[in-house]
Amino acid sequence: MNKDIEHNLMTPGHYENFPVGSIFLPARLRAPIRAIYAFARSADDFADEGDDAAAVRLAKLAAYHAHLHALERGESVEHPVFKALQPHILKFGLPYPLFHDLLSAFEQDCTKTRYAHFGEVMDYCKRSANPIGRLLLKLYGDEDAKHQAWSDGICSALQLINFLQDVAVDWQKNRIYLPQDDMAKFGISERQIAEGRCDALWQQFMKGQIERARRMLQAGAPLGLALKGRIGFEMRLIILGGERILKQLHESRGDMFQQRPKLGWKDWLYMLGRATFTRQPRAAASTSCGSGGCGH
């Protein structure tokens, strides 16, 4: 897991940057967000940490499914993660299928290590990342369908950004989340990833991957202005954090092998300023972010 300030940024996927009770969020939301995080983090660890065989990992995740089903039936569960989560599920009406979707993504990590095309990657994002955004909107009391669509775009983009950050890290776990057909078009082999070779073909390949994630993030960016108050501020920080990681990937020409992109204090100064002094831009004034929702 990333440390310090990075805990407050970007979502989902591997929960490295989950907004764990961020100081920018209203105090009433910090406990439920921590409970959701504890569920997601512990379940993700079943899939990622330790030396357990796949069958053992899947059994642990199946037990989490069973605990959720027990809560759905109104039964009490003694497991500390679910004891902490249950009152928030009841208070905010959090949908159980979203929790099951997260578990299904972690189960997939136990058995699937390659993705044939971008459609398969997006199917994974739909279950590994998008549920977090929808759970947060539910906590905010926001049922707007357009906001949910924007949230899905942001969460999927952040998951893709995480994949681009962690190409080398995931390789060590024998996972490649990059679409195999895109790799083949540029003659990118698994051996090249293993060697950490950032040649001209890799740079061109990564340019397309970065731009695709950027477009998706921008498509959801209006949510940063649609949500008001401290919640909106937090969302703008999350979006801007994703943009800064993409900027670093772009400037390094996709060479995350030498240095994994991460947010530093200069990034934070920029992000806090942009998130604070944002306003709805005039159409003629749009620049790098077509939506304007991130504050650009």
Side-chain angles (χ1 to χ4, degrees):
M1 245 171 67
N2 292 345
K3 303 298 184 183
D4 304 326
I5 57 176
E6 287 190 57
H7 277 298
N8 295 327
L9 284 174
M10 299 171 59
T11 117
H14 300 289
Y15 303 94
E16 295 186 354
N17 303 289
F18 195 101
V20 189
S22 166
I23 60 173
F24 301 116
L25 286 171
R28 64 183 177 85
L29 298 180
R30 293 175 198 167
I33 287 177
R34 283 195 295 267
I36 294 171
Y37 171 83
F39 167 85
R41 176 71 268 176
S42 58
D44 191 28
D45 283 349
F46 291 156
D48 276 349
E49 302 301 324
D51 300 318
D52 289 337
V56 175
R57 298 177 188 274
L58 290 171
K60 291 179 178 179
L61 291 167
Y64 263 36
H65 277 298
H67 290 322
L68 284 173
H69 288 310
L71 294 184
E72 290 179 76
R73 294 191 298 267
E75 301 172 7
S76 61
V77 175
E78 292 305 311
H79 192 291
V81 166
F82 293 89
K83 286 187 71 173
L85 187 60
Q86 183 178 29
H88 303 300
I89 289 177
L90 296 175
K91 179 178 179 179
F92 294 96
L94 302 179
Y96 285 100
L98 295 178
F99 293 99
H100 287 293
D101 283 347
L102 288 169
L103 294 178
S104 75
F106 303 144
E107 288 169 332
Q108 183 166 308
D109 276 333
C110 297
T111 58
K112 186 176 178 66
T113 61
R114 302 295 186 273
Y115 290 80
H117 50 76
F118 188 62
E120 286 192 350
V121 177
M122 286 303 297
D123 175 71
Y124 178 84
C125 293
K126 181 180 179 181
R127 290 174 288 119
S128 70
N130 297 5
I132 294 296
R134 290 190 173 234
L135 286 169
L136 293 178
L137 285 178
K138 195 72 174 177
L139 293 179
Y140 305 157
D142 191 323
E143 303 281 353
D144 189 288
K146 182 182 290 186
H147 293 180
Q148 291 177 352
W150 285 338
S151 173
D152 288 346
I154 292 168
C155 290
S156 288
L158 293 174
Q159 177 71 92
L160 295 179
I161 293 168
N162 183 250
F163 289 157
L164 298 181
Q165 281 179 290
D166 282 350
V167 170
V169 174
D170 289 330
W171 170 255
Q172 298 301 317
K173 301 175 183 177
N174 189 32
R175 293 180 190 158
I176 299 177
Y177 292 98
L178 302 171
Q180 298 284 294
D181 59 349
D182 286 353
M183 290 173 56
K185 289 176 185 177
F186 288 87
I188 304 298
S189 67
E190 295 191 12
R191 180 177 179 179
Q192 179 163 353
I193 295 175
E195 295 172 352
R197 181 158 36 94
C198 184
D199 58 16
L201 286 175
W202 177 264
Q203 292 170 12
Q204 284 299 112
F205 166 71
M206 284 298 297
K207 181 179 179 181
Q209 301 298 311
I210 292 166
E211 183 57 29
R212 178 158 57 191
R214 189 192 310 279
R215 289 196 304 268
M216 191 175 298
L217 187 64
Q218 290 176 353
L223 188 61
L225 289 177
L227 298 177
K228 304 303 179 184
R230 296 168 69 179
I231 293 170
F233 182 77
E234 175 87 6
M235 182 55 62
R236 292 193 295 275
L237 282 177
I238 290 171
I239 295 167
L240 286 162
E243 286 195 340
R244 297 302 284 182
I245 295 296
L246 286 173
K247 181 175 184 292
Q248 291 181 34
L249 284 166
H250 175 75
E251 290 175 345
S252 71
R253 297 187 178 183
D255 190 1
M256 77 295 294
F257 302 111
Q258 297 301 314
Q259 184 174 355
R260 182 181 184 271
K262 60 181 180 180
L263 299 173
W265 66 269
K266 291 183 179 179
D267 297 299
W268 263 89
L269 287 178
Y270 171 84
M271 291 157 50
L272 288 168
R274 300 300 295 187
T276 301
F277 299 107
T278 189
R279 59 184 176 84
Q280 186 66 49
R282 294 188 294 264
S286 63
T287 55
S288 63
C289 177
S291 66
C294 60
H296 282 239

